[in-house]
Amino acid sequence: MTLGVTIGKFYPFHLGHNYLITEAKKQVDHLIVLVCHHRQQTIAGSIRSQWIKYLHPEVEVIEVIDDLPESPQPWAKRTLEILKPNKPDIAFTSETYGKPWADFMGCQHQTIDLERVKFPISGTLLRSNLDKYWQMLTPPAKAYFAKRICVLGVESSGTTTLAQALAKYYQTLWIPEYGRYYWEGRRSIPDQQKWDTYEFLEIAKGQLQLENALAMKANRIIISDTDALATYIWHRRYLGRDSKEVEAIADSHNYSLYFLTETDFSFIQDGTKESENLRSTMHQWFIDVLKQKNKPYHIISGSHESRILKAVKLIDSLLDIEHNFD
């Protein structure tokens, strides 16, 4: 069996790194990726390892404490200790240290895109300006770094319209309301007004799964049309009480910013809405819960155009905050 090894910080995991791993695993039976990290770095080594495993589940990923001098010989010794009793047949890198590192291990060296022709990017360059080089991030890294914006509101308050408009403006994705599709799927059953807690748990989990899947394609921000916190409110509306289980799911996920749409739009019945008489009550529930949980929220009101202008101004301020890498 041919054993290959590569090493790096993957800080953050970009398309050049991904190309290196993709090409390396074609040439060996088994590839080991060593992820070097230390505690002072902003992104934990475990997170970087997860990014790699997501795109390359067949590759073995090992986290290594980065406590050695940046010299090939000590890292060659460390690598052999980690791989013992095995020894690599080929070492793969896109760096000048690759050849001496491999020589000290007594194995072949394969250089992959040393000149960065295929993907003109490096971790240093990405860390210097994440926004500028955003498209060089791998999908799981995009999902990690993207600012998450949630649009909340009662029925016929313009949440979906605002979410779609913002996604179009920022050329990014928006997350549809999972619960709406769930409701439409069950609308023909007897006693459709009767709900169970487990259904809201499934809706809350489904909303997060949908968001996390689509987040891989994010362009700096993600616009979500509702979240598990809204599911928590709807549980109260239908069952007359709160659910700690649904609340726990909502509390496990955070957003950089919430937009709560005001109830200053006329109620429009599209065949799916049924809470016109509770709009004001539920709107206040949203306000109370957002305040109680100390969420960063803004109430968005007025015409469609004025809503977009206010939301864009707030999002732009959020995007102006640079990501610091230690």
Side-chain angles (χ1 to χ4, degrees):
M1 183 181 78
T2 306
L3 178 63
V5 65
T6 188
I7 191 170
K9 295 183 178 70
F10 305 96
Y11 188 48
F13 186 32
H14 57 65
L15 295 181
H17 294 140
N18 189 60
Y19 181 69
L20 167 66
I21 295 172
T22 300
E23 293 302 305
K25 68 184 184 181
K26 292 177 183 177
Q27 303 179 47
V28 294
D29 297 307
H30 185 66
L31 179 67
I32 296 175
V33 178
L34 304 181
V35 178
C36 303
H37 66 98
H38 58 75
R39 292 180 179 177
Q40 287 71 39
Q41 290 171 330
T42 307
I43 307 168
S46 59
I47 293 175
R48 287 176 257 163
S49 296
Q50 289 169 14
W51 293 343
I52 296 170
K53 291 175 184 176
Y54 184 86
L55 293 183
H56 304 279
E58 72 279 25
V59 164
E60 183 179 355
V61 182
I62 300 175
E63 297 165 32
V64 184
I65 297 297
D66 189 356
D67 59 354
L68 296 176
E70 292 190 3
S71 175
Q73 188 169 11
W75 278 104
K77 182 179 178 181
R78 171 71 61 81
T79 302
L80 291 175
E81 290 173 351
I82 292 170
L83 301 186
K84 193 181 294 185
N86 298 313
K87 180 180 176 182
D89 299 293
I90 311 175
F92 300 90
T93 71
S94 299
E95 306 289 347
T96 54
Y97 65 69
K99 182 65 166 60
W101 176 54
D103 288 344
F104 282 122
M105 291 190 292
C107 68
Q108 300 177 42
H109 177 249
Q110 178 67 53
T111 301
I112 296 177
D113 199 24
L114 179 62
E115 303 299 324
R116 306 292 197 275
V117 174
K118 187 74 175 178
F119 295 101
I121 192 64
S122 68
T124 302
L125 200 58
L126 251 171
R127 291 193 298 273
S128 71
N129 195 327
L130 192 65
D131 284 349
K132 181 178 179 180
Y133 301 106
W134 180 270
Q135 296 307 327
M136 286 293 180
L137 288 170
T138 53
K142 286 181 178 179
Y144 175 87
F145 286 111
K147 304 290 186 183
R148 303 202 180 206
I149 316 295
C150 184
V151 183
L152 293 175
V154 300
E155 291 178 329
S156 285
S157 63
T159 55
T160 301
T161 301
L162 180 59
Q164 290 177 330
L166 291 173
K168 184 176 181 180
Y169 180 87
Y170 287 101
Q171 297 183 311
T172 191
L173 49 87
W174 73 285
I175 315 301
E177 185 182 356
Y178 182 88
R180 178 187 178 93
Y181 301 109
Y182 185 96
W183 182 90
E184 288 182 347
R186 73 191 293 286
R187 63 188 299 188
S188 297
I189 64 174
D191 299 325
Q192 61 175 272
Q193 293 297 320
K194 185 179 183 300
W195 289 78
D196 292 299
T197 292
Y198 79 84
E199 294 184 276
F200 290 92
L201 284 168
E202 290 303 323
I203 290 170
K205 289 185 286 187
Q207 186 70 42
L208 290 183
Q209 289 170 356
L210 179 60
E211 179 180 315
N212 289 332
L214 280 169
M216 301 288 171
K217 297 294 185 181
N219 181 18
R220 299 194 301 157
I221 63 171
I222 299 163
I223 310 294
S224 187
D225 179 12
T226 201
D227 74 336
L229 198 62
T231 308
Y232 169 71
I233 298 294
W234 280 98
H235 182 282
R236 181 188 297 179
R237 180 257 186 263
Y238 279 107
L239 276 73
R241 56 182 172 79
D242 292 340
S243 166
K244 291 294 183 183
E245 296 83 2
V246 176
E247 185 179 20
I249 295 174
D251 289 344
S252 71
H253 195 63
N254 294 311
Y255 293 86
S256 300
L257 194 60
Y258 282 88
F259 293 138
L260 178 62
T261 50
E262 184 59 88
T263 56
D264 51 359
F265 281 6
S266 299
F267 186 85
I268 299 174
Q269 180 54 262
D270 62 359
T272 66
K273 298 181 175 68
E274 54 187 25
S275 299
E276 180 177 7
N277 62 326
L278 288 175
R279 291 178 80 209
S280 296
T281 300
M282 291 187 68
H283 182 72
Q284 189 59 50
W285 286 349
F286 276 113
I287 293 174
D288 293 343
V289 171
L290 289 166
K291 285 182 177 179
Q292 174 195 341
K293 295 185 176 297
N294 199 29
K295 299 295 186 181
Y297 81 97
H298 294 267
I299 295 178
I300 302 293
S301 60
S303 66
H304 177 60
E305 292 73 19
S306 64
R307 290 178 175 213
I308 293 175
L309 287 174
K310 181 176 181 179
V312 165
K313 184 177 180 180
L314 290 165
I315 293 173
D316 283 349
S317 297
L318 184 67
L319 292 176
D320 282 341
I321 302 173
E322 295 183 2
H323 187 94
N324 294 318
F325 290 91
D326 294 329

